[in-house]
Amino acid sequence: MLLGIVKRESFYDICTMQHSINNHVKKHISATENDLVLFNNVLNEVTIAKGAYLLQPGHHVTEEFFVVKGCLKAYYMDNRGNKHIIQFAVENWWVGDFDAFYNEGTSSIYIEAVEDSQLLSIESSKLNKVFEKAPIFERYFRILVTEAFISQRKRILSAQEKNTQERYVEFCTSYSNIENRVANYDIANYLGVSPENLSRVRQKLKIS
Amino acid sequence: MLLGIVKRESFYDICTMQHSINNHVKKHISATENDLVLFNNVLNEVTIAKGAYLLQPGHHVTEEFFVVKGCLKAYYMDNRGNKHIIQFAVENWWVGDFDAFYNEGTSSIYIEAVEDSQLLSIESSKLNKVFEKAPIFERYFRILVTEAFISQRKRILSAQEKNTQERYVEFCTSYSNIENRVANYDIANYLGVSPENLSRVRQKLKIS
DNA sequence: TCTCCTAATTGATCCATATCAATTAATTTC
DNA sequence: GAAATTAATTGATATGGATCAATTAGGAGA
């Protein structure tokens, strides 16, 4: 598809969107009003319809996205043609092809909207300028990646330590209410189990 | 144990050690000589004997470690008393309890020397001072975490996509020569499979 | 060099979950 | 709102890898 992406929002929406990202920034670093304005000025507003792609393999990656409203999934296809969900992104998450973004390369993943979504995007070149003028944002992104790193590590260890049922419960808890927003077969995929198995686990949970 | 840790090295060793970290820094950012001196001045030299612990659960984490020479393993114990290896650290890797370090908390993991090892350590408070005086190091650590994040993501996807044999081969390739430095049951643990299963996989590889 | 202890291997069995197949339920779409 | 798709569930079977048990191989220490 890749249709359905529209830049520029109404004044009201822009205010809401900036409010959302500024809150997020303030939660992580102590930025001055000047810093925030500088940062806000390089952001673009993006809306995307359910089912549309924000990113597809082969595309040159120049942007990362912040989810103001909505839900997306990031996945890739392996050599055998199997899909693997890397991440779901909901409100107040950054999403993108990190690898390609930092290495200024070509995407190897799909990012697809699971719901109609509102996003903010930042371009690599503009972000680097922000880093120069307001190095505090270097810290912001370092903290974000560190947090993501830690939560990802938990995902690895959880997969080794826990059975499917425990992991499904953990998933629903940490991604609050997500089981009502995305398909079960996508959750199964994310957890690395078959949809049939997840279905049976969900049955058992209903009973107990 | 926690014995066997000795700070301060001979002049020759210190030079070697700083050479090692400076090379690593230069590979990631363009730091001035001043920046490097500033950074080097806050590093401590640490040696640790095989079998000794660099870190144990409950200890207050104030340091991260850079491996100049040697090999270590980071692991934790889950509620059921099972050990899970998080990471092996060899030359030119940073190792520590990231989570606790960034949140100034208490360690939940063990870091144990697999070989006699030489390390450099940096304290949280001193690192923050470096960040203030030379913000370029904020970038250095952001890049390191980003790289670690990306390689960790590959570990997750590899576990979903590939079978034990493929993952063992991948592991040996990416951690060059590691299969001769650490025990097979620790590699099995890291891969999340039983030692017996890994043993059989290794047999099959010998034949084919 | 011998002894002891730990690691690795090998065999047999078991189990969680994948896979295949069919049915039912829930969404889209016109 | 009926038809057509797509998702979820349920049942039956197959399988990769775990677990248990026993043996062999390697290393460290006396």
Side-chain angles (χ1 to χ4, degrees), chain B residues 70-117:
Chain B
C71 180
L72 303 96
K73 59 183 177 188
Y75 61 91
Y76 83 106
M77 294 293 182
D78 68 24
N79 303 332
R80 294 158 180 128
N82 297 313
K83 178 175 166 177
H84 298 274
I85 294 186
I86 296 164
Q87 184 202 346
F88 295 105
V90 292
E91 287 76 16
N92 296 315
W93 284 59
W94 281 90
V95 66
D97 186 334
F98 253 136
D99 201 343
F101 183 74
Y102 279 109
N103 300 314
E104 298 184 345
T106 292
S107 177
S108 54
I109 69 172
Y110 298 84
I111 299 178
E112 184 185 334
V114 171
E115 301 171 353
D116 293 346
S117 303

Side-chain angles (χ1 to χ4, degrees), chain A residues 76 80 138 142 161 166, chain B residues 76 80 142 161 166:
Chain A
Y76 83 107
R80 295 160 179 125
E138 195 97 59
R142 176 178 60 71
E161 184 182 331
E166 291 168 313
Chain B
Y76 83 106
R80 294 158 180 128
R142 177 177 60 72
E161 183 181 333
E166 291 168 313

Side-chain angles (χ1 to χ4, degrees), chain B residues 73-176:
Chain B
K73 59 183 177 188
Y75 61 91
Y76 83 106
M77 294 293 182
D78 68 24
N79 303 332
R80 294 158 180 128
N82 297 313
K83 178 175 166 177
H84 298 274
I85 294 186
I86 296 164
Q87 184 202 346
F88 295 105
V90 292
E91 287 76 16
N92 296 315
W93 284 59
W94 281 90
V95 66
D97 186 334
F98 253 136
D99 201 343
F101 183 74
Y102 279 109
N103 300 314
E104 298 184 345
T106 292
S107 177
S108 54
I109 69 172
Y110 298 84
I111 299 178
E112 184 185 334
V114 171
E115 301 171 353
D116 293 346
S117 303
Q118 296 182 299
L119 313 163
L120 292 166
S121 73
I122 188 156
E123 275 174 41
S124 169
S125 58
K126 286 183 181 169
L127 181 59
N128 283 323
K129 278 179 196 154
V130 170
F131 285 161
E132 276 168 35
K133 288 184 197 156
I136 188 88
F137 281 98
E138 193 98 59
R139 172 172 305 208
Y140 172 63
F141 284 95
R142 177 177 60 72
I143 292 171
L144 291 190
V145 185
T146 305
E147 286 180 357
F149 177 81
I150 291 166
S151 83
Q152 201 171 242
R153 170 167 288 176
K154 284 184 184 149
R155 182 176 169 192
I156 293 175
L157 297 171
S158 168
Q160 287 193 4
E161 183 181 333
K162 293 172 178 156
N163 63 27
T164 306
Q165 177 167 328
E166 291 168 313
R167 282 164 57 221
Y168 176 67
V169 170
E170 186 178 69
F171 172 80
C172 293
T173 313
S174 66
Y175 272 100
S176 158

